[in-house]
Every structure is written in structure tokens, then in C-alpha cells.
């Protein structure tokens, strides 16, 4: 045991160093959010905001709340639409096994490789003809296209592991496919629902390509465009930018902490067969 102790401490030290390097950008974001404009170009830079200011956070409260509200609305709408489309599709692929199901799963896998900018340009042409540019529903639909293929694959993997005896018992009790899906499959698939909801929300929350292409000229713009609002040729309000980034990171961080145990189970579901 004495010979293994130094090795354990060595691994711990390396882990701490790597963790510190990964978290340093987060610390620097918080540091800059409290730094005054005249101290931004100090050489050497201040590692701590010795003459801290709350001007950046005041700018968030004065200017960014509508952007945050839009992001919440788009995020919740994306989650609802993604789960509504992907959960039945995953159930069908996992248990009903329709003809061409394997080919459809392959297509969904390929769909995740399409660059977002190509999809954004396609949506722009369609939205322009339909008159739904710069609208929240249009942004929700576009963001859902990123989440649905991933969500279907997650639901399929998870629901494939549900014992067939549950479905047989439901048939004996007289439940149809819709009732079985609603009363049995969804409650059992709680971990995968939480996983899909979290990733769908985070994708829509951090989206910039669809937001700038499909909602850049409207009144309802998400927080990613709110941050971009501070960046100009002659105006870069770095403390406001970083303060907005800090505030925008809070919902994602809270959701990740609360849903961590569900996500770890939902992502690995179906990876191991008994």
C-alpha cells in the first residue's frame, strides 16, 4: 500500500492541474466581468479585479433581459417539440420495428453531420417564402432539427432495453400502442427524457448560427445575439460582454448539476446488453 500512495498523489496532482487549466477561462470571464474599462489593457493584466465594478451587470439588467427571455422561450419550445417528435419515433424504431427502420437510423446519424450553416441557409430561403423569418416559432423549429436526430437515437437505444414483458402485460390488460407508450414507455424512460431535454435546451440556448441567420433582424433575439450586440468596430464593452456570458452560463450550469445523474444513465442506456 505504501508504494501505491505516491502514484495516487501524482495522479491527483495531474488531475488538479488539468482541471485548473480547463476552468481558467471561466475564472477569467468572471474576473473581466468585474473589471473597469480603463483597467482592461493593463500590463500585466490584473488577476483580480482590485477596483471592481458592477457596470457590466447593470448593463445586463438594463439591456439583456429581453434577450434572456427569448432564449428561455426558444429553449423550452425546442425541448417540447424535440421530445414530442423524438420519443414516439424512438419507441417505433425500438419496439415496433417498422420496415426500413435501420436505414432511417442511419439517415438520422448522417443528419447530425450536416454543417449548421448549410441548414441555416436552407431555412432562410424557406422562411423567406413563408414569411416566418425573425419569429420565435421559426427559431424553435430550426433548433429542433439539430436536437431531433440525436434524441431519436437516444430514445431508441434506451427503449430497446425495456423488457418485452411490460408490453405483453399491457396487451393482456387491453392497452393499445398509444396507451402503452403514454402510460408505460414514457414513465420508464424518464432518464432518457431528461437527457434529451437537457441537450435540446443547451443546443438552442447556445445557438448562434440559426439565431443570426433567421432572427438577426427581428425584435425577438436570443442571448447569443445579445452578447454580439456589444461587439462593434469601435465599441467593445468587455465587462458587459463577460457579465452577460456569466449570467447566460448560470441556467446551463444549474441544469447540468441538477440533471447529472439522469444524463449519465440516459446517455449510456443501451450501450451494454445483458
Amino acid at each position: 500500500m505504501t508504494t501505491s500512495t505516491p502514484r495516487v498523489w501524482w495522479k491527483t496532482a495531474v488531475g488538479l492541474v488539468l482541471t485548473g487549466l480547463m476552468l481558467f477561462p471561466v475564472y477569467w470571464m468572471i474576473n473581466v466581468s468585474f473589471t473597469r474599462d480603463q483597467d482592461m489593457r493593463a500590463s500585466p493584466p490584473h488577476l483580480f479585479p482590485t477596483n471592481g465594478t458592477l457596470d457590466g451587470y447593470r448593463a445586463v439588467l438594463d439591456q439583456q433581459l429581453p434577450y434572456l427571455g427569448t432564449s428561455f422561450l426558444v429553449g423550452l419550445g425546442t425541448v417540447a417539440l424535440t421530445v414530442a417528435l423524438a420519443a414516439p419515433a424512438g419507441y417505433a424504431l425500438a419496439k415496433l420495428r417498422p420496415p426500413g427502420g435501420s436505414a432511417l437510423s442511419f439517415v438520422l446519424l448522417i443528419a447530425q453531420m450536416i454543417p449548421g450553416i448549410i441548414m441555416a441557409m436552407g431555412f432562410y430561403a424557406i422562411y423567406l417564402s413563408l414569411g416566418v423569418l425573425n419569429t420565435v416559432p421559426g427559431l424553435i423549429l430550426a433548433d429542433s432539427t439539430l436536437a431531433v436526430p440525436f434524441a431519436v437515437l437516444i430514445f431508441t437505444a434506451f427503449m430497446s432495453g425495456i423488457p418485452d414483458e411490460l408490453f405483453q402485460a399491457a396487451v393482456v390488460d387491453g392497452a393499445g400502442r398509444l396507451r402503452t407508450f403514454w402510460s408505460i414507455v414514457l414513465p420508464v424512460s424518464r432518464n432518457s427524457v431528461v437527457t434529451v431535454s437537457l441537450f435540446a435546451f443547451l443546443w438552442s440556448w447556445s445557438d448562434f448560427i440559426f439565431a443570426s441567420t433567421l432572427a438577426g433582424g427581428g425584435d425577438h433575439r436570443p442571448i447569443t445575439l445579445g452578447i454580439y450586440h456589444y461587439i462593434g468596430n469601435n465599441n467593445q464593452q468587455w465587462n458587459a460582454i463577460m457579465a452577460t456570458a456569466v449570467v447566460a452560463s448560470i441556467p446551463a450550469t444549474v441544469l447540468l448539476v441538477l440533471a447529472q445523474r439522469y444524463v449519465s444513465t440516459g446517455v449510456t442506456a443501451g450501450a451494454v446488453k445483458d
Side-chain angles (χ1 to χ4, degrees):
M1 295 182 63
T2 56
T3 56
S4 62
T5 302
R7 187 176 182 181
V8 172
W9 279 106
W10 178 79
K11 290 182 178 180
T12 302
V14 171
L16 290 175
V17 171
L18 294 177
T19 301
L21 291 175
M22 289 187 293
L23 292 180
F24 182 78
V26 178
Y27 164 74
W28 197 252
M29 176 179 68
I30 298 174
N31 178 38
V32 174
S33 70
F34 290 104
T35 302
R36 300 180 303 174
D37 290 335
Q38 56 266 37
D39 295 333
M40 290 292 176
R41 300 185 182 277
S43 182
H46 298 162
L47 295 178
F48 301 96
T50 53
N51 298 308
T53 178
L54 294 175
D55 289 343
Y57 292 92
R58 293 191 186 98
V60 173
L61 296 178
D62 293 340
Q63 305 170 17
Q64 297 294 330
L65 292 183
Y67 297 101
L68 287 169
T70 300
S71 286
F72 271 113
L73 186 60
V74 172
L76 295 177
T78 302
V79 168
L81 183 58
T82 299
V83 173
L85 294 177
Y91 169 59
L93 292 175
K95 293 301 180 181
L96 303 183
R97 298 179 178 88
S102 300
L104 179 58
S105 298
F106 180 74
V107 170
L108 292 173
L109 185 62
I110 296 298
Q112 298 183 79
M113 304 178 186
I114 301 176
I117 187 61
I118 296 178
M119 298 177 63
M121 297 308 298
F123 273 117
Y124 182 86
I126 296 173
Y127 284 9
L128 185 62
S129 61
L130 296 178
V132 292
L133 274 178
N134 303 317
T135 62
V136 171
L139 200 53
I140 291 174
L141 179 61
D143 286 334
S144 298
T145 60
L146 295 177
V148 167
F150 169 81
V152 172
L153 295 177
I154 289 292
F155 278 126
T156 302
F158 188 92
M159 294 176 182
S160 296
I162 299 177
D164 292 334
E165 289 77 9
L166 288 177
F167 299 93
Q168 296 170 1
V171 172
V172 171
D173 292 338
R177 291 178 176 176
L178 182 60
R179 179 64 182 274
T180 301
F181 170 74
W182 183 260
S183 301
I184 296 178
V185 176
L186 275 185
V188 172
S189 305
R190 179 184 61 178
N191 291 336
S192 58
V193 171
V194 173
T195 301
V196 166
S197 300
L198 177 63
F199 278 96
F201 183 87
L202 293 180
W203 273 328
S204 64
W205 184 264
S206 60
D207 169 63
F208 179 78
I209 294 178
F210 286 152
S212 59
T213 305
L214 306 176
D219 296 329
H220 303 287
R221 288 174 286 183
I223 190 61
T224 49
L225 294 186
I227 298 175
Y228 190 70
H229 171 75
Y230 287 125
I231 303 176
N233 292 330
N234 300 313
N235 182 28
Q236 294 183 347
Q237 305 176 46
W238 287 110
N239 54 4
I241 293 173
M242 294 303 176
T244 306
V246 170
V247 173
S249 301
I250 293 175
T253 303
V254 172
L255 288 175
L256 284 171
V257 171
L258 294 178
Q260 181 180 7
R261 63 189 184 98
Y262 298 103
V263 172
S264 61
T265 303
V267 170
T268 57
V272 179
K273 296 294 184 181
D274 295 332

